[in-house]
Amino acid sequence: MFGFGRKQTALLGIDIGSSAIKLVELAPGSATGSKPFQVEALALEPLPPHSLVEKKIADVAQVGQAIAVAVKRSQSKTKRAVVAVAGSAVITKVLSVNAELSDAEMEAQIQLEAEQYVPYPLEEVNLDFDVLGPSESSAGMVDVLLAASRQENVDDRVAALELAGLNVEIVDIESNAVENASGLLIHAAKLGPDRLTAVVDIGATTTTLHVLRAGQNVYAREQSFGGQQLVEEVQRRFGWAREEALSRLTTAPIPAPLQAEVLGPFQEALARQLARALQFFYSTSAFSRVDEVLLTGGVAQVPELAEQMAKRLALPVQAADPFAQMAMPAELDHLLQQHGRSAMLIAVGLAMRRFQ
């Protein structure tokens, strides 16, 4: 189940974020139309505070209830679902194995080699693997991606979805979901497929930098910095309720006191965090510059955030829209205008597993 489960005819992509459940269901677009995908259903349901702690589910019942509400609001009849664990909760390793091994022999070989790379007893982890293709370094060998995570990381997510009446068909990794959606992002943004694209997912409590090349995730790094800090500071400074704070932050024009006292300092801090994350990438790779930055997450809908980040980073920056190449009913488009299209990136990537 973990990592690379089988494809089904219809799947709900369920992103369990730090502050909300995001749900997306996709279908093939019209064979004669310009949109390759059709949005069948979507929903965004807030989570009670502290339901997740450092991307681990702290209250399975609360999360399950929120998923059930999201499913009901989406009006989807699909019961098959795909969910993801955070990249920080997963150990991955590319192994080279003999290409002539049968599936059973390859699985046994990988189980043996996994003991070298997984720092937990194997009976306490979920293991899966995917054959990437012929090895470039060794003739007669194939590269295999091994993925492993503690059982609790997988089991808690499965339990939450089952409480909502869903059947979990696939447990993926968040970075894989970003990679799945990256083709849409690059196409929508009219970026070259061989360019180096930084996708910055600004979550409620964690910001994750993904660097993509030719649609493949070549680097990922998480930092403890997110939009929740911005919302809480707005509430503290101005005494607004959470919903009002969110509305003020995402509606242009931004009031001058809010920009000067809270949003400006947050933008400076975010730029420093991103510059530091990019510098870590440069120091561990053969690259010295990315070609562009795509912002995702709820914070990405703050007016002029992309423009401000572009000035501070001296790089092209824009908000990502994973729905740009999708046909969508008007009522769902209105819902996205309320909550932000960029926040649904991982859910879209998970829902795209239907087509793999």
Side-chain angles (χ1 to χ4, degrees):
M1 177 184 297
F2 172 71
F4 307 100
R6 66 186 187 277
K7 176 180 65 176
Q8 295 287 348
T9 55
L11 285 172
L12 290 178
I14 306 288
D15 175 20
I16 303 176
S18 298
S19 63
I21 300 297
K22 295 106 172 179
L23 177 153
V24 173
E25 181 183 354
L26 302 177
S30 170
T32 59
S34 60
K35 306 289 187 180
F37 303 103
Q38 165 78 34
V39 180
E40 292 286 288
L42 60 82
L44 189 149
E45 180 63 26
L47 279 170
H50 312 301
S51 297
L52 268 75
V53 177
E54 296 181 351
K55 293 203 172 186
K56 294 181 180 180
I57 296 179
D59 192 319
V60 173
Q62 283 187 337
V63 173
Q65 183 177 7
I67 294 171
V69 172
V71 172
K72 183 177 181 180
R73 288 185 175 174
S74 75
Q75 299 183 356
S76 174
K77 303 302 181 184
T78 300
K79 295 300 181 182
R80 302 184 181 97
V82 51
V83 69
V85 295
S88 58
V90 181
I91 298 167
T92 59
K93 180 70 176 178
V94 176
L95 309 175
S96 292
V97 300
N98 191 320
E100 296 183 358
L101 294 178
S102 66
D103 289 347
E105 291 171 335
M106 185 175 293
E107 183 172 355
Q109 178 68 29
I110 290 170
Q111 286 275 351
L112 287 174
E113 295 200 30
E115 295 180 352
Q116 303 176 46
Y117 305 106
V118 180
Y120 313 109
L122 292 187
E123 61 269 17
E124 296 179 8
V125 302
N126 287 93
L127 286 174
D128 207 342
F129 66 92
D130 189 38
V131 178
L132 302 177
S135 174
E136 295 182 0
S137 58
S138 304
M141 306 289 281
V142 291
D143 287 339
V144 176
L145 176 63
L146 168 70
S149 183
R150 296 289 296 270
Q151 287 180 351
E152 63 201 52
N153 298 321
V154 176
D155 292 348
D156 286 350
R157 281 164 168 74
V158 172
L161 268 69
E162 290 179 343
L163 283 175
L166 299 177
N167 301 316
V168 181
E169 299 292 336
I170 303 170
V171 179
D172 212 325
I173 308 170
E174 288 182 358
S175 58
N176 287 352
V178 172
E179 186 175 299
N180 288 341
S182 68
L184 286 177
L185 295 177
I186 291 170
H187 183 74
K190 297 181 173 60
L191 307 176
D194 293 328
R195 292 166 68 83
L196 208 61
T197 303
V199 179
V200 179
D201 183 20
I202 310 168
T205 60
T206 304
T207 295
T208 306
L209 168 67
H210 303 272
V211 181
L212 305 169
R213 189 182 189 210
Q216 300 294 314
N217 206 323
V218 298
Y219 180 83
R221 179 180 176 84
E222 293 183 0
Q223 293 178 278
S224 297
F225 182 89
Q228 186 64 28
Q229 300 174 36
L230 174 61
V231 176
E232 290 177 350
E233 182 63 14
V234 171
Q235 291 181 269
R236 188 184 70 81
R237 288 286 188 97
F238 299 96
W240 296 330
R242 177 179 174 82
E243 288 303 315
E244 183 176 3
L246 288 170
S247 177
R248 298 291 187 107
L249 283 168
T250 56
T251 304
I254 298 290
L258 175 56
Q259 174 66 44
E261 297 178 30
V262 182
L263 189 53
F266 175 83
Q267 291 169 338
E268 289 285 355
L270 176 59
R272 288 195 300 270
Q273 292 286 338
L274 298 187
R276 186 177 297 118
L278 286 169
Q279 192 57 50
F280 274 116
F281 166 65
Y282 300 146
S283 67
T284 58
S285 73
F287 304 100
S288 59
R289 182 179 174 85
V290 297
D291 293 299
E292 58 273 316
V293 177
L294 298 179
L295 300 179
T296 74
V299 172
Q301 65 181 314
V302 172
E304 299 186 4
L305 178 66
E307 291 85 345
Q308 293 298 321
M309 290 300 101
K311 291 179 182 178
R312 289 169 167 83
L313 296 173
L315 287 167
V317 181
Q318 58 184 297
D321 182 3
F323 296 100
Q325 300 298 307
M326 298 186 185
M328 186 182 313
E331 64 272 16
L332 297 184
D333 189 50
H334 177 70
L335 179 63
L336 284 175
Q337 291 175 17
Q338 291 180 303
H339 296 293
R341 304 166 85 87
S342 298
M344 309 295 285
L345 174 73
I346 290 177
V348 167
L350 294 174
M352 289 181 67
R353 287 301 299 264
R354 170 178 181 173
F355 306 102
Q356 295 179 331

